[in-house]
Amino acid sequence: MSNGAVHPEPHGHVYGHYAAPKWPDAHCSGKEQYDAMYKESLAAPEKFWGRIAEKFYWKKKWEAPFHSYNFDSRKAPVNVQWFIGAETNLAYNCLDRNVEAGQGDRVAFYWEGNDLGEDSTTTYSQLLAQVCQIANYLKSAGVGRGDDVTIYMPMIPELPAAMLACARIGAVHSVVFAGFSAESLSGRILDSKPRVVLTCSAVKRGAKPISLKGIVDDALVKVTAGGHEVDTVLVYDHTRAATRADVAFTPGRDVWWQDAVSEQPTTCEVEWMGAEDPLFKLYTSGSTGKPKGVEHTLGGYMVGTATTFKYVFDHHLSDVYWCTADCGWITGHSYVAYGPLLNAATQVLFEGVPTHPDAGRAWDIVDKYKVSLLYTAPTAIRSLQSFGPEWVKKYSRASLRILGSVGEPINPEAWLWYHDVVGGGRCPIVDTWWQTETGAHMITPLPGATTLVPGSATLPFFGVEPAVLSEKGEELQGECEGYLVIKRAWPSGMRTLSGDHARFEATYFNLYPGYYFTGDGCRRDKDGYYWLIGRVDDVINVSGHRIGTAEVEGALTQHDRCAEAAVVPMEHPIKGQGIYAFVTLMQGTEYPPPPALKKELVATVREVIGPIATPDVIHWAPGLPKTRSGKIMRRILRKIASKEEDSLGDTSTLADPSVIQTLLALRGK
Ligand code: PRX
């Protein structure tokens, strides 16, 4: 597909342009159509989004003006609202609407279990019945409109079904990724205070069994100590080898899912909710403090996720879609649970890891289900690439049509491998830039319309108006590099942070009034293409997952030998970024201490946050480079972590410049 034109890539390499394929039936076919639709979406947003929103079911239509936005927190509180006054229901639009339109027998989920040979199929009618049963159970447990429900489950169909069950009765779900520790889970439960928690007895990730119920039990001990009680824990029996008797049960609180839910009626009245009522909370890491509960509401989120899904994956009913993300992250919310179902898509839900039992598993799944749209993360691509092309070439992959990437910048080498080896040079790659906060794709190619350049997320989606600011907040024009911001509201954006609107404004709007601050650095080239460079705040992107440096530092200092810690990102060949921790031990410790201490510190972080936050390097630091006012100079630590000590820059403001030599002497010790 390369048309031979060349384009300078930011790191100095030169890669080709890849023209969009000529697909006359693409939802957006050609650059002219993209330009026209983009222009209209900015010039006449009411008309543009109104026309799209008409396709959904609204119990009550919106009143004019149907959206409002102000991103200048100095003028008035930032209070974004779309489809004001309208009433709808997400579960109804995902399920009942599709069943009524004759899609009842269509497959919603092909579930593929962790181990080979475990699979199941759920049609739209079956999913509707399943969702109604869970919804009825939740109601019987006292859950109603506006109540929070925490979900801590693996990727089985019951997970998205539980999310939809909450949506059906107007409850607010908070899905916690089932790789988080008891401590992280308890923090999220204490923040949203649900009465009901949904979980699963155990799960196998690769060859390793993990007792999720045990983690929930530990978390709930901490929750009780924190002053909140959970009344009901609904436990899906997924133990396989073990029997129910092996699972610790608290009588009166714990309930077996299969017993309680199967008794419920398979129909359930829909709660009609306001377009701006909350749909879910999802906790994500920021620069400071504990994870923030990002809150999304119904109407705009529905329209935004469905529309991006349709255009970015050029979804047609003949497609089979597979997103490898877990529902514990925003990608699993927007592009497993909601966007695809709103489009009556057929999708694969995979519980396992793509390298189990071997490195051909992902391609085996592609062939088994004839996957045409594949959506994954650069970290997975690099990991599969490292096993060699033979694993891919063993499988046909003839069904693949479009490949998607999300979560972190995709390096051009991984892009080219994805394109040439996985897609056999036939499939456009949609490199989708977005965030938990944005709810849906923001900067992304459209497969039938956008000329691709490896490593660039290309152009904004409809209704998204990006800008690039200098550090001083001046809007840069043309070719430039700076902070990526968004100039106006779009339908699917977050509305607030759970219980803390002031923090919402402080984090995203106060720094550059009038703009939504993304926290990402970017470059815009002469064609107006955006190149995402990475976070400009203290957030590390490990395998596409956000980890706050402050969180890891806080976890390390929970070890009683750790006096202080400073964490910075490091380049990592598979994970994109890794975690590099400088650790100062308690007074009187000899450096380097016995090697076992590193293992203990790593174990502490895994216990406090979860395995995703495992530090890659612990570097002993008898002293940290600090200014005279005591501020850690992370710029210097980043240079040391990346072995660039030759270019440390200005160190004259250090309180004690000798700490640098000491640090360098302890590298690798
Ligand atoms: O730094 C950007 C990076 O991931 C961050 C958002 O992380 P999270 O809220 O966990 O959502 C991940 C899935 C949407 C962004 O601030 N990021 C995400 N997608 C890309 C990306 N960086 C570069 N290119 C992308 N396609």
Side-chain angles (χ1 to χ4, degrees):
M1 233 168 43
S2 176
N3 61 6
V6 289
H7 184 101
E9 189 271 339
H11 307 297
H13 307 290
V14 173
Y15 295 101
H17 276 165
Y18 292 77
K22 296 216 175 343
W23 284 342
D25 68 340
H27 294 304
C28 184
S29 150
K31 180 74 165 43
E32 298 72 33
Q33 192 185 342
Y34 164 78
D35 285 341
M37 288 179 76
Y38 182 68
K39 209 165 136 197
E40 190 202 353
S41 73
L42 295 193
E46 279 92 348
K47 200 164 136 228
F48 183 88
W49 290 111
R51 197 170 57 228
I52 289 177
E54 293 286 347
K55 309 240 161 60
F56 299 88
Y57 180 79
W58 302 84
K59 183 72 179 170
K60 192 170 152 229
K61 278 280 161 66
W62 51 88
E63 304 145 7
F66 76 82
H67 77 267
S68 74
Y69 45 79
N70 159 46
F71 274 2
D72 191 340
S73 52
R74 293 170 308 186
K75 288 191 190 145
V78 179
N79 179 21
V80 174
Q81 296 185 27
W82 283 73
F83 309 112
I84 296 164
E87 284 180 12
T88 188
N89 184 289
L90 264 283
Y92 185 89
N93 274 287
C94 287
L95 302 172
D96 309 57
R97 186 175 59 107
N98 288 327
V99 171
E100 280 158 23
Q103 303 289 358
D105 293 335
R106 210 180 143 71
V107 173
F109 296 129
Y110 287 118
W111 178 72
E112 174 80 6
N114 176 73
D115 292 332
L116 285 174
E118 284 179 313
D119 52 28
S120 67
T121 299
T122 311
T123 64
Y124 272 85
S125 298
Q126 288 166 335
L127 185 59
L128 172 58
Q130 196 181 3
V131 165
C132 286
Q133 286 188 310
I134 304 170
N136 284 324
Y137 174 76
L138 288 173
K139 285 208 280 194
S140 76
V143 178
R145 292 169 73 103
D147 292 339
D148 283 275
V149 174
T150 296
I151 306 177
Y152 186 71
M153 293 179 73
M155 281 296 274
I156 54 177
E158 285 72 14
L159 169 51
M163 295 162 76
L164 291 164
C166 291
R168 190 167 194 90
I169 61 170
V172 181
H173 57 71
S174 155
V175 183
V176 179
F177 173 59
F180 277 118
S181 67
E183 172 108 12
S184 295
L185 175 61
S186 69
R188 285 151 170 81
I189 293 177
L190 275 170
D191 191 82
S192 61
K193 301 201 168 42
R195 292 265 156 227
V196 177
V197 172
L198 309 187
T199 190
C200 187
S201 48
V203 62
K204 256 170 92 184
R205 211 163 283 129
K208 222 167 81 194
I210 300 160
S211 165
L212 288 191
K213 173 63 168 50
I215 297 172
V216 170
D217 287 345
D218 291 348
L220 292 184
V221 171
K222 294 174 200 285
V223 167
T224 304
H228 176 71
E229 285 301 334
V230 166
D231 304 330
T232 307
V233 180
L234 185 65
V235 188
Y236 190 84
D237 182 3
H238 194 51
T239 46
R240 307 206 177 102
T243 62
R244 285 190 181 187
D246 297 324
V247 179
F249 240 59
T250 303
R253 187 196 70 183
D254 299 348
V255 180
W256 284 113
W257 183 305
Q258 280 92 334
D259 297 350
V261 172
S262 62
E263 284 175 357
Q264 296 291 334
T266 53
T267 55
C268 171
E269 285 274 308
V270 171
E271 280 293 328
W272 298 108
M273 305 299 292
E276 285 298 338
D277 281 336
L279 175 66
F280 66 84
K281 287 174 193 169
L282 183 57
Y283 290 83
T284 189
S285 295
S287 321
T288 53
K290 51 181 187 137
K292 310 171 283 209
V294 168
E295 255 185 50
H296 283 279
T297 58
L298 273 81
Y301 181 82
M302 171 170 80
V303 173
T305 54
T307 309
T308 46
F309 180 81
K310 171 179 167 179
Y311 284 97
V312 174
F313 298 113
D314 187 40
H315 175 258
H316 288 71
L317 287 175
S318 51
D319 283 311
V320 175
Y321 164 81
W322 178 25
C323 169
T324 64
D326 191 287
C327 283
W329 310 108
I330 191 67
T331 307
H333 280 63
S334 301
Y335 299 109
V336 175
Y338 292 110
L341 296 178
L342 286 164
N343 282 278
T346 292
Q347 62 180 315
V348 175
L349 209 65
F350 178 41
E351 183 194 18
V353 289
T355 47
H356 175 80
D358 62 40
R361 185 72 188 275
W363 320 119
D364 185 38
I365 293 174
V366 166
D367 281 1
K368 177 172 172 184
Y369 298 105
K370 306 251 174 315
V371 170
S372 54
L373 315 174
L374 173 64
Y375 193 30
T376 192
T379 185
I381 298 165
R382 288 189 295 264
S383 154
L384 292 167
Q385 182 181 9
S386 72
F387 289 91
E390 320 74 79
W391 286 102
V392 187
K393 291 185 174 157
K394 250 172 83 177
Y395 299 90
S396 130
R397 296 159 286 114
S399 53
L400 287 175
R401 192 164 79 80
I402 293 167
L403 304 172
S405 174
V406 60
E408 55 176 307
I410 178 163
N411 49 311
E413 294 74 17
W415 194 104
L416 290 172
W417 187 81
Y418 200 25
H419 183 266
D420 296 346
V421 179
V422 175
R426 294 175 293 111
C427 309
I429 293 182
V430 287
D431 174 7
T432 59
W433 175 84
W434 59 295
Q435 309 176 296
T436 305
E437 292 87 340
T438 70
H441 300 148
M442 298 292 277
I443 299 183
T444 173
L446 300 185
T450 314
T451 295
L452 306 173
V453 188
S456 170
T458 75
L459 298 168
F461 189 73
F462 309 135
V464 174
E465 193 180 7
V468 184
L469 299 187
S470 71
E471 208 164 327
K472 288 195 202 123
E474 299 146 341
E475 210 173 303
L476 303 171
Q477 304 301 324
E479 255 186 290
C480 56
E481 186 169 323
Y483 296 156
L484 177 64
V485 295
I486 311 291
K487 283 176 84 164
R488 62 160 88 192
W490 63 98
S492 63
M494 73 188 298
R495 301 298 195 250
T496 191
L497 285 175
S498 169
D500 201 347
H501 201 70
R503 188 176 175 198
F504 166 75
E505 291 194 341
T507 309
Y508 302 103
F509 299 98
N510 289 357
L511 190 57
Y512 299 115
Y515 301 97
Y516 164 76
F517 178 63
T518 65
D520 275 312
C522 89
R523 198 174 75 86
R524 188 171 51 211
D525 70 15
K526 62 175 182 6
D527 302 321
Y529 274 32
Y530 290 85
W531 299 75
L532 279 302
I533 298 170
R535 302 286 306 189
V536 294
D537 53 8
D538 290 321
V539 170
I540 306 186
N541 191 329
V542 183
S543 302
H545 300 139
R546 276 157 68 166
I547 316 272
T549 52
E551 278 175 84
V552 184
E553 289 160 5
L556 285 164
T557 48
Q558 289 202 19
H559 191 287
D560 55 12
R561 304 273 310 271
C562 176
E564 190 172 18
V567 167
V568 295
M570 61 182 266
E571 251 188 60
H572 190 285
I574 304 287
K575 297 194 271 189
Q577 287 190 324
I579 296 177
Y580 196 110
F582 292 88
V583 172
T584 307
L585 296 167
M586 289 297 179
Q587 285 289 337
T589 313
E590 289 258 328
Y591 290 91
L597 189 53
K598 280 196 184 175
K599 286 210 180 91
E600 279 182 36
L601 285 163
V602 167
T604 303
V605 176
R606 290 172 67 95
E607 214 180 289
V608 175
I609 305 176
I612 53 164
T614 306
D616 294 276
V617 176
I618 303 266
H619 188 140
W620 302 122
L624 288 166
K626 290 185 183 169
T627 59
R628 277 176 215 109
S629 60
K631 202 168 168 293
I632 296 173
M633 292 184 73
R634 286 166 193 279
R635 175 176 60 79
I636 292 182
L637 293 176
R638 280 202 200 101
K639 289 277 182 192
I640 295 177
S642 58
K643 301 199 171 84
E644 291 174 80
E645 52 266 19
D646 296 345
S647 56
L648 284 186
D650 183 12
T651 54
S652 62
T653 51
L654 280 176
D656 174 9
S658 75
V659 294
I660 293 180
Q661 282 320 313
T662 317
L663 276 181
L664 291 176
L666 280 166
R667 174 149 42 215
K669 298 282 166 61

mmCIF file of all heavy atoms in Angstrom, residues 284 330-331 405-409 431-437 518 520 532 535 541 544 546, ligand 1:
data_model
loop_
_atom_site.group_PDB
_atom_site.id
_atom_site.type_symbol
_atom_site.label_atom_id
_atom_site.label_comp_id
_atom_site.label_asym_id
_atom_site.label_seq_id
_atom_site.Cartn_x
_atom_site.Cartn_y
_atom_site.Cartn_z
ATOM 1 N N THR A 284 -8.081 6.213 37.644
ATOM 2 C CA THR A 284 -6.865 6.253 36.842
ATOM 3 C C THR A 284 -5.816 7.088 37.556
ATOM 4 O O THR A 284 -6.149 7.945 38.374
ATOM 5 C CB THR A 284 -7.155 6.795 35.419
ATOM 6 O OG1 THR A 284 -5.996 6.611 34.617
ATOM 7 C CG2 THR A 284 -7.517 8.258 35.423
ATOM 8 N N ILE A 330 -10.214 1.757 30.391
ATOM 9 C CA ILE A 330 -11.192 2.505 29.585
ATOM 10 C C ILE A 330 -11.390 1.856 28.214
ATOM 11 O O ILE A 330 -12.489 1.858 27.669
ATOM 12 C CB ILE A 330 -10.784 3.998 29.434
ATOM 13 C CG1 ILE A 330 -11.925 4.826 28.832
ATOM 14 C CG2 ILE A 330 -9.533 4.165 28.591
ATOM 15 C CD1 ILE A 330 -13.142 4.979 29.676
ATOM 16 N N THR A 331 -10.332 1.265 27.648
ATOM 17 C CA THR A 331 -10.497 0.661 26.322
ATOM 18 C C THR A 331 -11.542 -0.449 26.380
ATOM 19 O O THR A 331 -12.358 -0.599 25.461
ATOM 20 C CB THR A 331 -9.150 0.124 25.802
ATOM 21 O OG1 THR A 331 -8.198 1.186 25.882
ATOM 22 C CG2 THR A 331 -9.246 -0.342 24.367
ATOM 23 N N SER A 405 -4.317 0.223 17.184
ATOM 24 C CA SER A 405 -3.304 0.336 18.230
ATOM 25 C C SER A 405 -3.760 1.388 19.231
ATOM 26 O O SER A 405 -4.335 2.409 18.854
ATOM 27 C CB SER A 405 -1.973 0.741 17.584
ATOM 28 O OG SER A 405 -1.013 1.002 18.581
ATOM 29 N N VAL A 406 -3.476 1.146 20.498
ATOM 30 C CA VAL A 406 -3.919 2.079 21.541
ATOM 31 C C VAL A 406 -3.056 1.976 22.787
ATOM 32 O O VAL A 406 -2.501 0.921 23.079
ATOM 33 C CB VAL A 406 -5.383 1.803 21.944
ATOM 34 C CG1 VAL A 406 -5.583 0.407 22.490
ATOM 35 C CG2 VAL A 406 -5.884 2.820 22.972
ATOM 36 N N GLY A 407 -2.968 3.069 23.521
ATOM 37 C CA GLY A 407 -2.401 3.028 24.871
ATOM 38 C C GLY A 407 -1.083 3.727 25.039
ATOM 39 O O GLY A 407 -0.744 4.161 26.126
ATOM 40 N N GLU A 408 -0.298 3.814 23.986
ATOM 41 C CA GLU A 408 1.020 4.451 24.084
ATOM 42 C C GLU A 408 1.473 4.732 22.661
ATOM 43 O O GLU A 408 0.913 4.181 21.698
ATOM 44 C CB GLU A 408 2.006 3.510 24.785
ATOM 45 C CG GLU A 408 2.057 2.182 24.100
ATOM 46 C CD GLU A 408 3.082 1.218 24.680
ATOM 47 O OE1 GLU A 408 4.247 1.609 24.787
ATOM 48 O OE2 GLU A 408 2.699 0.078 24.946
ATOM 49 N N PRO A 409 2.483 5.570 22.524
ATOM 50 C CA PRO A 409 2.973 5.807 21.164
ATOM 51 C C PRO A 409 3.454 4.488 20.568
ATOM 52 O O PRO A 409 4.102 3.695 21.255
ATOM 53 C CB PRO A 409 4.155 6.762 21.376
ATOM 54 C CG PRO A 409 3.960 7.354 22.736
ATOM 55 C CD PRO A 409 3.221 6.322 23.537
ATOM 56 N N ASP A 431 -3.985 4.079 14.547
ATOM 57 C CA ASP A 431 -3.269 4.378 15.790
ATOM 58 C C ASP A 431 -4.107 5.411 16.526
ATOM 59 O O ASP A 431 -4.122 6.585 16.169
ATOM 60 C CB ASP A 431 -1.878 4.919 15.440
ATOM 61 C CG ASP A 431 -1.112 5.397 16.662
ATOM 62 O OD1 ASP A 431 -1.593 5.189 17.796
ATOM 63 O OD2 ASP A 431 -0.022 5.984 16.483
ATOM 64 N N THR A 432 -4.846 4.949 17.534
ATOM 65 C CA THR A 432 -5.872 5.783 18.161
ATOM 66 C C THR A 432 -5.337 6.430 19.427
ATOM 67 O O THR A 432 -5.044 5.742 20.400
ATOM 68 C CB THR A 432 -7.105 4.929 18.518
ATOM 69 O OG1 THR A 432 -6.686 3.881 19.413
ATOM 70 C CG2 THR A 432 -7.711 4.295 17.279
ATOM 71 N N TRP A 433 -5.264 7.757 19.428
ATOM 72 C CA TRP A 433 -4.862 8.462 20.658
ATOM 73 C C TRP A 433 -6.107 8.918 21.401
ATOM 74 O O TRP A 433 -6.975 9.575 20.824
ATOM 75 C CB TRP A 433 -3.983 9.685 20.358
ATOM 76 C CG TRP A 433 -3.722 10.412 21.648
ATOM 77 C CD1 TRP A 433 -2.760 10.132 22.558
ATOM 78 C CD2 TRP A 433 -4.499 11.483 22.198
ATOM 79 N NE1 TRP A 433 -2.876 10.964 23.659
ATOM 80 C CE2 TRP A 433 -3.938 11.797 23.461
ATOM 81 C CE3 TRP A 433 -5.614 12.206 21.770
ATOM 82 C CZ2 TRP A 433 -4.442 12.810 24.291
ATOM 83 C CZ3 TRP A 433 -6.130 13.202 22.598
ATOM 84 C CH2 TRP A 433 -5.528 13.496 23.845
ATOM 85 N N TRP A 434 -6.164 8.559 22.663
ATOM 86 C CA TRP A 434 -7.252 9.031 23.538
ATOM 87 C C TRP A 434 -6.894 8.688 24.968
ATOM 88 O O TRP A 434 -5.771 8.239 25.228
ATOM 89 C CB TRP A 434 -8.606 8.458 23.106
ATOM 90 C CG TRP A 434 -8.714 6.959 23.099
ATOM 91 C CD1 TRP A 434 -8.022 6.091 22.306
ATOM 92 C CD2 TRP A 434 -9.564 6.146 23.920
ATOM 93 N NE1 TRP A 434 -8.407 4.790 22.575
ATOM 94 C CE2 TRP A 434 -9.337 4.799 23.556
ATOM 95 C CE3 TRP A 434 -10.512 6.436 24.909
ATOM 96 C CZ2 TRP A 434 -10.016 3.737 24.157
ATOM 97 C CZ3 TRP A 434 -11.186 5.386 25.499
ATOM 98 C CH2 TRP A 434 -10.937 4.045 25.133
ATOM 99 N N GLN A 435 -7.809 8.902 25.904
ATOM 100 C CA GLN A 435 -7.510 8.738 27.331
ATOM 101 C C GLN A 435 -8.759 8.306 28.095
ATOM 102 O O GLN A 435 -9.876 8.488 27.601
ATOM 103 C CB GLN A 435 -7.078 10.089 27.925
ATOM 104 C CG GLN A 435 -6.004 10.802 27.168
ATOM 105 C CD GLN A 435 -5.699 12.162 27.764
ATOM 106 O OE1 GLN A 435 -6.549 13.048 27.782
ATOM 107 N NE2 GLN A 435 -4.498 12.332 28.272
ATOM 108 N N THR A 436 -8.535 7.817 29.314
ATOM 109 C CA THR A 436 -9.665 7.504 30.197
ATOM 110 C C THR A 436 -10.601 8.719 30.253
ATOM 111 O O THR A 436 -11.827 8.588 30.212
ATOM 112 C CB THR A 436 -9.140 7.197 31.617
ATOM 113 O OG1 THR A 436 -8.176 6.146 31.522
ATOM 114 C CG2 THR A 436 -10.267 6.777 32.546
ATOM 115 N N GLU A 437 -10.005 9.881 30.331
ATOM 116 C CA GLU A 437 -10.780 11.115 30.485
ATOM 117 C C GLU A 437 -11.582 11.468 29.240
ATOM 118 O O GLU A 437 -12.649 12.069 29.328
ATOM 119 C CB GLU A 437 -9.840 12.294 30.789
ATOM 120 C CG GLU A 437 -9.165 12.244 32.146
ATOM 121 C CD GLU A 437 -7.846 11.456 32.155
ATOM 122 O OE1 GLU A 437 -7.627 10.636 31.236
ATOM 123 O OE2 GLU A 437 -7.050 11.657 33.085
ATOM 124 N N THR A 518 -4.231 17.767 28.310
ATOM 125 C CA THR A 518 -4.216 16.301 28.204
ATOM 126 C C THR A 518 -3.124 15.638 29.035
ATOM 127 O O THR A 518 -3.200 14.446 29.314
ATOM 128 C CB THR A 518 -3.973 15.866 26.739
ATOM 129 O OG1 THR A 518 -2.649 16.306 26.354
ATOM 130 C CG2 THR A 518 -4.998 16.458 25.794
ATOM 131 N N ASP A 520 -0.209 15.247 27.745
ATOM 132 C CA ASP A 520 0.672 14.654 26.732
ATOM 133 C C ASP A 520 1.433 15.732 25.970
ATOM 134 O O ASP A 520 0.899 16.814 25.700
ATOM 135 C CB ASP A 520 -0.156 13.859 25.707
ATOM 136 C CG ASP A 520 -0.429 12.452 26.189
ATOM 137 O OD1 ASP A 520 0.510 11.792 26.641
ATOM 138 O OD2 ASP A 520 -1.594 12.014 26.117
ATOM 139 N N LEU A 532 2.264 11.835 18.926
ATOM 140 C CA LEU A 532 2.250 11.867 20.386
ATOM 141 C C LEU A 532 3.620 11.466 20.911
ATOM 142 O O LEU A 532 4.191 10.477 20.463
ATOM 143 C CB LEU A 532 1.174 10.925 20.928
ATOM 144 C CG LEU A 532 -0.258 11.461 20.933
ATOM 145 C CD1 LEU A 532 -0.324 12.732 21.759
ATOM 146 C CD2 LEU A 532 -0.814 11.704 19.550
ATOM 147 N N ARG A 535 3.871 11.355 28.053
ATOM 148 C CA ARG A 535 3.352 12.201 29.128
ATOM 149 C C ARG A 535 4.351 13.300 29.491
ATOM 150 O O ARG A 535 5.556 13.064 29.488
ATOM 151 C CB ARG A 535 3.075 11.348 30.367
ATOM 152 C CG ARG A 535 2.110 10.200 30.157
ATOM 153 C CD ARG A 535 0.685 10.608 30.023
ATOM 154 N NE ARG A 535 0.205 11.424 31.102
ATOM 155 C CZ ARG A 535 -1.094 11.747 31.253
ATOM 156 N NH1 ARG A 535 -2.004 11.304 30.400
ATOM 157 N NH2 ARG A 535 -1.478 12.503 32.248
ATOM 158 N N ASN A 541 3.869 5.413 31.576
ATOM 159 C CA ASN A 541 2.978 4.585 30.780
ATOM 160 C C ASN A 541 3.629 3.209 30.591
ATOM 161 O O ASN A 541 4.440 3.005 29.698
ATOM 162 C CB ASN A 541 2.732 5.282 29.436
ATOM 163 C CG ASN A 541 1.607 4.630 28.669
ATOM 164 O OD1 ASN A 541 1.394 3.424 28.782
ATOM 165 N ND2 ASN A 541 0.889 5.401 27.891
ATOM 166 N N GLY A 544 1.176 0.509 28.282
ATOM 167 C CA GLY A 544 -0.092 1.177 27.984
ATOM 168 C C GLY A 544 -0.953 1.437 29.213
ATOM 169 O O GLY A 544 -2.092 1.851 29.090
ATOM 170 N N ARG A 546 -1.390 3.463 32.912
ATOM 171 C CA ARG A 546 -0.864 4.635 33.611
ATOM 172 C C ARG A 546 -0.534 4.331 35.055
ATOM 173 O O ARG A 546 -1.361 3.834 35.794
ATOM 174 C CB ARG A 546 -1.919 5.736 33.573
ATOM 175 C CG ARG A 546 -1.853 6.515 32.310
ATOM 176 C CD ARG A 546 -3.165 7.181 32.038
ATOM 177 N NE ARG A 546 -3.462 8.224 32.992
ATOM 178 C CZ ARG A 546 -4.434 9.116 32.792
ATOM 179 N NH1 ARG A 546 -5.154 9.083 31.708
ATOM 180 N NH2 ARG A 546 -4.664 10.031 33.691
HETATM 181 O O1 PRX B 1 -0.037 9.283 27.055
HETATM 182 C C1 PRX B 1 -1.174 8.937 26.302
HETATM 183 C C2 PRX B 1 -1.219 7.440 26.117
HETATM 184 O O2 PRX B 1 -2.020 6.926 27.152
HETATM 185 C C3 PRX B 1 -2.525 7.993 27.959
HETATM 186 C C4 PRX B 1 -3.917 7.679 28.407
HETATM 187 O O3 PRX B 1 -3.897 6.533 29.204
HETATM 188 P P1 PRX B 1 -5.261 5.885 29.692
HETATM 189 O O4 PRX B 1 -6.127 6.936 30.267
HETATM 190 O O5 PRX B 1 -4.909 4.747 30.562
HETATM 191 O O6 PRX B 1 -5.940 5.378 28.387
HETATM 192 C C5 PRX B 1 -5.303 4.422 27.603
HETATM 193 C C6 PRX B 1 -6.227 3.978 26.508
HETATM 194 C C7 PRX B 1 -6.891 5.049 25.773
HETATM 195 C C8 PRX B 1 -2.439 9.205 27.079
HETATM 196 O O7 PRX B 1 -2.408 10.392 27.836
HETATM 197 N N1 PRX B 1 -1.799 7.045 24.821
HETATM 198 C C9 PRX B 1 -2.979 6.446 24.606
HETATM 199 N N2 PRX B 1 -3.131 6.150 23.300
HETATM 200 C C10 PRX B 1 -2.031 6.584 22.671
HETATM 201 C C11 PRX B 1 -1.184 7.163 23.637
HETATM 202 N N3 PRX B 1 -0.002 7.722 23.301
HETATM 203 C C12 PRX B 1 0.352 7.713 22.011
HETATM 204 N N4 PRX B 1 -0.390 7.162 21.025
HETATM 205 C C13 PRX B 1 -1.581 6.584 21.303
HETATM 206 N N5 PRX B 1 -2.292 6.036 20.332
#
